[in-house]
Amino acid sequence: HHGWSEYDSSKLLKLTGMQKVAAVIKMVRRELKAGKYPKIFIITRHTMVGEAIAHGLRKFKPVRLYGGSSAKQRRAMIKQFTEDPECQVFIGQVRACGPSVNLTAKGLCYEVLVVEQSPTPGENNQAVTRPRRIGQKRQVRVRIIQLNDPVDKRWEKLVHNKNVHIAKAMRESLFLSREFKPKRKRAA
């Protein structure tokens, strides 16, 4: 057996996410109680991880958005997060937090905590920008929680390398499009 099967790696990543739960709950509880920020957006990949965090932060009335949430449910969650001052935590699965999700919460959500990343850089980038929308006047801080553990480090490296390759391809594409632009002929 030369490597992990897809099932094994998925199971390992879920367990790695679960290992972060207690520390995330403790940290977010402490920060919210201290008034470091009024609202926080927490990004997970696995439903089980999001549910465990929500349970630990239930005092802060969290809402949870998953891939299976309907458009109506999504709108209701965003509305609750935006309008209810007691709803201080929005937990979203990275794949469910695309362009239709606006989490500025009237400028009160400027804290993002990534507990689990997607293997797809575009999904991560899309998710972390949900509080950075029209109406957000504050700088948005994004933190990524990483364990000092081989599985998490390997995953982080994989995601980082994909981002580097995408950035390189974008620069090359931009260079080529500038380099080979047809010259316009001027009318005489």
Side-chain angles (χ1 to χ4, degrees):
H1 197 276
H2 297 326
W4 296 338
S5 71
E6 198 171 311
Y7 172 77
D8 290 338
S9 62
S10 176
K11 202 171 177 181
L12 274 171
L13 290 169
K14 190 183 292 184
L15 289 171
T16 300
M18 288 302 291
Q19 284 183 300
K20 299 176 184 181
V21 169
V24 166
I25 291 168
K26 184 178 179 181
M27 180 180 75
V28 172
R29 245 192 228 147
R30 185 179 60 241
E31 291 174 351
L32 282 169
K33 282 181 183 175
K36 296 219 179 218
Y37 42 83
K39 293 183 181 265
I40 185 170
F41 171 37
I42 299 174
I43 300 171
T44 65
R45 198 164 163 244
H46 296 96
T47 305
M48 177 194 295
V49 175
E51 289 295 325
I53 293 169
H55 180 74
L57 296 175
R58 62 192 175 279
K59 177 184 175 195
F60 303 100
K61 290 181 67 178
V63 290
R64 299 173 302 285
L65 176 64
Y66 301 115
S69 304
S70 70
K72 185 178 180 181
Q73 289 170 318
R74 180 175 38 246
R75 283 191 301 275
M77 287 178 221
I78 293 168
K79 183 177 181 181
Q80 182 180 351
F81 185 65
T82 301
E83 296 177 5
D84 182 352
E86 291 180 22
C87 178
Q88 295 178 269
V89 179
F90 192 103
I91 300 169
Q93 252 181 334
V94 65
R95 286 193 170 157
C97 295
S100 65
V101 177
N102 180 335
L103 295 180
T104 58
K106 298 179 181 173
L108 295 176
C109 182
Y110 44 85
E111 191 71 25
V112 179
L113 191 62
V114 181
V115 178
E116 300 176 287
Q117 293 188 71
S118 166
T120 309
E123 288 178 348
N124 295 320
N125 294 338
Q126 196 63 248
V128 299
T129 60
R130 296 309 85 211
R132 271 190 251 164
R133 312 288 288 195
I134 294 171
Q136 181 57 268
K137 308 241 185 298
R138 297 192 62 144
Q139 180 74 31
V140 175
R141 181 170 77 153
V142 177
R143 294 180 287 172
I144 299 171
I145 302 298
Q146 186 179 4
L147 296 175
N148 188 14
D149 138 292
V151 175
D152 215 26
K153 284 183 178 181
R154 184 173 171 183
W155 189 253
E156 177 67 31
K157 187 175 181 180
L158 170 92
V159 173
H160 173 75
N161 287 342
K162 282 186 175 185
N163 275 323
V164 168
H165 290 303
I166 289 169
K168 184 176 183 235
M170 296 287 283
R171 281 193 306 276
E172 288 171 1
S173 172
L174 189 59
F175 172 75
L176 289 173
S177 67
R178 284 184 183 154
E179 188 76 13
F180 296 107
K181 232 182 205 176
K183 294 187 178 181
R184 292 186 182 155
K185 292 182 181 177
R186 292 186 180 207

